[in-house]
Amino acid sequence: MSADATSRRTTRRRRSRRYNPDGSMTLIEHVYDFRRRLLYALLVVVAGGTIGFLWFGTGVGPVPALGDVIKGPYCDIPQEARLDTGDGCQLLQTAPFEAFMIQLKVGIAAGMVLTGPLWLYQIWAFLAPGLYQWERKYARIFVCVASLLFALGAALALVIVPLALGVLVGFGGDTFMTALRGQEYISFILALLVIFGISFELPLLIVMLNKVGVVQYAQLKRWRRGIIAGLFVFAAFVTPTDPFSMIALACALTGLFELAIQLARMHDRKLERQRVAEGFDGLADDEAAPFTYTPTSSAGEDAAEQPGSDSPSGGRTDDVT
């Protein structure tokens, strides 16, 4: 076997969980792993963008074409308020290659959504070796819930867009006729989807801060009115100048914030019961905590069971060190 083949085999073994369960690597191996994961993620995004680009103008069975889905809210504008070219509902192209760039932009965005689990896995695979087991557990939950909340926010935006457009283009009465440019319209739709999707991550952020002890239920309860008022101000700033999208986003965020407060309440009550059961509740600042600590080895085994040494730790470094 050649030296190159042996080197590649050794590298694959170091990446394998079977031969390297803790994922330990040198600094240069981390750099190579980052480059490899980034390349895989980009290839996945390019493949998804290609699928989205082709899907833009072609439907697949009962699934309509992506272009029809995107221009749906525009086509829902009353026909008497929309420019009728005689060929149905169409957007305007006012620059060379504008339609191509729109199709490319929408295709890449749709491809990133479709292939999200694949490129997110590459990010996860790069970060996971540096996390403890409990951190990996919370990271998985965070990614899954964040993806679900973003999808719910984007879905709400798609419901609100027709109402928002109806209000925005209704100003001026019969003085104006609506004929939207494709670039501006698509940018408006994508921006609204991103705004609603990211805004829906707020309750998850509050729950995670409560989990790590940064905020408590008592604080959130005192701040409730101010935070709710801030949510309405935030919704007014980030949404278009129409009441429907602002009220929908503000009410949705308020409901999710209330849910986050109740989750924080249950979490704090659980911690309080644990403190009482372990005898930590009511201790003075200068009073010793009633627990017994037994050092363990770096492998996680009981120190008393480590052979080969007369010392209690068996000649190994305990967890504190």
Side-chain angles (χ1 to χ4, degrees):
M1 183 179 296
S2 65
D4 292 341
T6 303
S7 177
R8 288 194 298 268
R9 183 178 180 182
T10 303
T11 303
R12 285 195 297 268
R13 280 194 171 191
R14 289 188 63 84
R15 293 171 181 166
S16 172
R17 284 291 180 183
R18 178 181 177 184
Y19 297 98
N20 188 17
D22 60 350
S24 59
M25 286 182 269
T26 64
L27 177 59
I28 192 63
E29 287 174 336
H30 275 293
V31 174
Y32 288 155
D33 186 56
F34 174 76
R35 183 183 64 180
R36 183 170 61 92
R37 298 294 180 184
L38 180 61
L39 177 61
Y40 289 165
L42 290 177
L43 290 176
V44 167
V45 171
V46 170
T50 303
I51 295 174
F53 184 86
L54 298 176
W55 180 25
F56 187 91
T58 306
V60 182
V63 180
L66 186 59
D68 295 335
V69 176
I70 292 296
K71 72 177 184 179
Y74 171 67
C75 296
D76 290 338
I77 297 175
Q79 190 172 2
E80 59 273 12
R82 176 169 39 85
L83 180 62
D84 188 5
T85 61
D87 294 326
C89 177
Q90 293 178 315
L91 298 170
L92 292 180
Q93 178 181 207
T94 59
F97 302 109
E98 182 177 350
F100 173 80
M101 295 305 298
I102 290 174
Q103 186 170 346
L104 181 62
K105 180 190 296 186
V106 175
I108 292 176
M112 291 188 67
V113 174
L114 292 175
T115 60
L118 298 178
W119 57 265
L120 284 174
Y121 169 77
Q122 299 302 324
I123 299 176
W124 167 256
F126 175 74
L127 297 176
L131 302 177
Y132 292 108
Q133 186 62 35
W134 65 272
E135 291 175 329
R136 295 176 188 175
K137 173 186 175 182
Y138 282 124
R140 292 191 195 101
I141 296 175
F142 180 86
V143 171
C144 294
V145 176
S147 301
L148 177 61
L149 289 175
F150 188 92
L152 289 176
L156 177 62
L158 285 178
V159 174
I160 296 301
V161 164
L163 297 176
L165 281 177
V167 172
L168 292 175
V169 303
F171 292 105
D174 297 333
T175 306
F176 299 95
M177 179 64 67
T178 302
L180 299 180
R181 284 186 54 202
Q183 183 68 35
E184 295 174 351
Y185 171 76
I186 295 298
S187 298
F188 169 79
I189 295 294
L190 294 181
L192 208 58
L193 293 178
V194 172
I195 288 171
F196 271 70
I198 294 179
S199 299
F200 268 50
E201 307 296 337
L202 172 65
L204 180 60
L205 176 62
I206 294 175
V207 171
M208 296 302 292
L209 290 177
N210 175 254
K211 284 283 186 182
V212 299
V214 176
V215 295
Q216 284 76 39
Y217 166 72
Q219 295 173 317
L220 294 174
K221 185 178 180 181
R222 289 198 307 268
W223 301 340
R224 177 187 274 124
R225 293 183 179 179
I227 292 178
I228 292 177
L231 292 177
F232 275 84
V233 173
F234 169 78
F237 271 101
V238 301
T239 55
T241 55
D242 73 284
F244 293 105
S245 57
M246 185 202 75
I247 294 175
L249 180 59
C251 291
L253 290 180
T254 301
L256 291 172
F257 173 67
E258 286 293 335
L259 176 61
I261 287 182
Q262 298 307 315
L263 292 175
R265 180 183 182 183
M266 292 188 292
H267 177 256
D268 288 355
R269 284 186 174 181
K270 180 181 177 181
L271 290 182
E272 184 66 25
R273 290 194 298 267
Q274 289 178 350
R275 285 194 295 268
V276 172
E278 295 173 358
F280 294 157
D281 190 56
L283 291 176
D285 293 339
D286 57 350
E287 187 177 354
F291 70 88
T292 302
Y293 173 71
T294 302
T296 59
S297 69
S298 59
E301 301 173 356
D302 196 308
E305 297 177 358
Q306 295 295 331
S309 175
D310 295 332
S311 65
S313 62
R316 294 176 177 265
T317 302
D318 60 37
D319 288 344
V320 176
T321 307

